Amino acid sequence: MSVAEKRRSVIGPGTTSASPKELGALKEDLAFREFFKLQEGFECNVAIRLVACLERLLGKGSNGQNDLLILSTLSLIQGILLLHPPSRTLFGREVNMNLLLDLLDPSNCPAIQSSTLLTLVTALLSNPHNTRVFETLDGLLTVTSLQKLRSTSREVKFKLMEFLYFYLMPETPSIIQNTNTPTTTTTTTTTTTTTTTTTTSQRNPSKLIGAFNRSIIAGVRGNIAEGIENTKTTEDKQALLARYLPNVEALVEDLRESAPFGGSVC
């Protein structure tokens, strides 16, 4: 029986699956709220399982079937990190960040390299600490070395430039306040597939804020002071990137003129 046939047998005849929900509507979805709560524990955290799966797949070497499994795992990691931002802390561990950097090896296929760059964005998004780990592990050297190689595909080089634009954005620590307070402030950054909304003095609340329970909010508040001290400006990042790549000034100038991601990265 095919996958489609199995799905139809589960849904049942004469019924249709529910239509996808807008991101903002998820906070009112009881099933999603329960899913979000389950992610707080080790036993049910999906990201932990996916990272472990990725590690095992990397140990099996490169072949067509294994590459497809790696791509699927990366796609799932991207999704869970967007739906459950606290899981991004997993990539604050060097061993997990190294998994992504290993996937940027020139020997891997372009599809894996491109998907890894997008996964890196979701892992660094709203998490300056993860960005510092990325820098400590010579992530910039890894990215720029791949960009300089003639053998690197045009598509991957385009993704690499997008990543560098993202990296150069100034950082602001993410602050999640009580959901009863209407002036909740967060900062969000988007890739080419998402949208950023900005105001003059503050940014709109996270659309998933309603799914955060008190323990998560308290934990985030406890890290605010550390996050403020751990952030870097565009100038700071420009100086770091200039060690590996020439003409970084041109990238920064283009970034300021075009503002592709809306202004700042959390």
Side-chain angles (χ1 to χ4, degrees):
M1 183 182 290
S2 68
V3 174
E5 289 172 337
K6 289 181 179 179
R7 185 179 297 117
R8 281 196 296 270
S9 66
V10 172
I11 295 175
T15 61
T16 57
S17 58
S19 59
K21 293 190 175 183
E22 296 276 338
L23 185 62
L26 286 178
K27 65 180 181 180
E28 305 299 336
D29 188 293
L30 294 179
F32 176 75
R33 293 173 70 91
E34 187 61 30
F35 164 79
F36 200 99
K37 291 177 184 178
L38 288 172
Q39 299 314 296
E40 298 177 48
F42 171 81
E43 297 85 357
C44 299
N45 186 274
V46 175
I48 291 176
R49 304 297 186 270
L50 290 172
V51 170
C53 177
L54 186 63
E55 184 176 13
R56 289 194 295 272
L57 290 172
L58 278 172
K60 292 185 176 181
S62 179
N63 59 67
Q65 183 62 33
N66 201 56
D67 287 352
L68 290 175
L69 292 174
I70 289 175
L71 285 171
S72 296
T73 305
L74 288 172
S75 180
L76 290 171
I77 290 175
Q78 294 161 22
I80 196 63
L81 295 186
L82 291 173
L83 288 174
H84 187 253
S87 288
R88 293 173 191 159
T89 57
L90 287 171
F91 290 94
R93 299 180 57 194
E94 292 187 359
V95 63
N96 293 336
M97 182 64 72
N98 264 324
L99 290 176
L100 298 182
L101 297 181
D102 287 344
L103 287 171
L104 292 178
D105 189 274
S107 63
N108 285 315
C109 68
I112 287 180
Q113 294 169 345
S114 296
S115 187
T116 299
L117 288 167
L118 186 53
T119 307
L120 261 178
V121 169
T122 58
L124 303 185
L125 186 66
S126 302
N127 204 312
H129 171 72
N130 287 5
T131 307
R132 303 292 81 81
V133 174
F134 169 79
E135 294 165 345
T136 301
L137 295 175
D138 287 331
L140 288 175
L141 176 61
T142 301
V143 169
T144 53
S145 296
L146 185 61
Q147 199 271 340
K148 293 175 182 177
L149 287 176
R150 287 188 175 183
S151 59
T152 302
S153 71
R154 183 177 178 180
E155 176 191 356
V156 173
K157 287 192 175 184
F158 180 78
K159 294 293 184 182
L160 286 164
M161 291 304 297
E162 282 187 333
F163 176 82
L164 291 177
Y165 278 125
F166 168 82
Y167 169 77
L168 285 169
M169 298 293 289
E171 298 168 354
T172 309
S174 179
I175 300 175
I176 301 176
Q177 299 176 347
N178 193 301
T179 56
N180 294 326
T181 304
T183 56
T184 303
T185 303
T186 60
T187 52
T188 55
T189 297
T190 63
T191 62
T192 55
T193 59
T194 55
T195 305
T196 299
T197 303
T198 311
T199 61
T200 54
S201 59
Q202 65 183 26
R203 298 183 185 274
N204 289 338
S206 168
K207 292 182 177 180
L208 296 181
I209 189 69
F212 284 83
N213 69 12
R214 294 180 180 179
S215 64
I216 291 180
I217 294 172
V220 173
R221 283 175 171 169
N223 292 329
I224 289 174
E226 178 185 355
I228 292 174
E229 296 176 357
N230 207 26
T231 59
K232 287 186 178 180
T233 64
T234 294
E235 288 72 21
D236 295 330
K237 294 179 176 182
Q238 178 180 344
L240 283 175
L241 186 56
R243 300 175 185 176
Y244 312 104
L245 198 67
N247 300 322
V248 180
E249 297 85 356
L251 283 178
V252 174
E253 183 179 351
D254 185 42
L255 179 67
R256 287 171 174 161
E257 289 179 358
S258 59
F261 304 116
S264 64
V265 55
C266 204

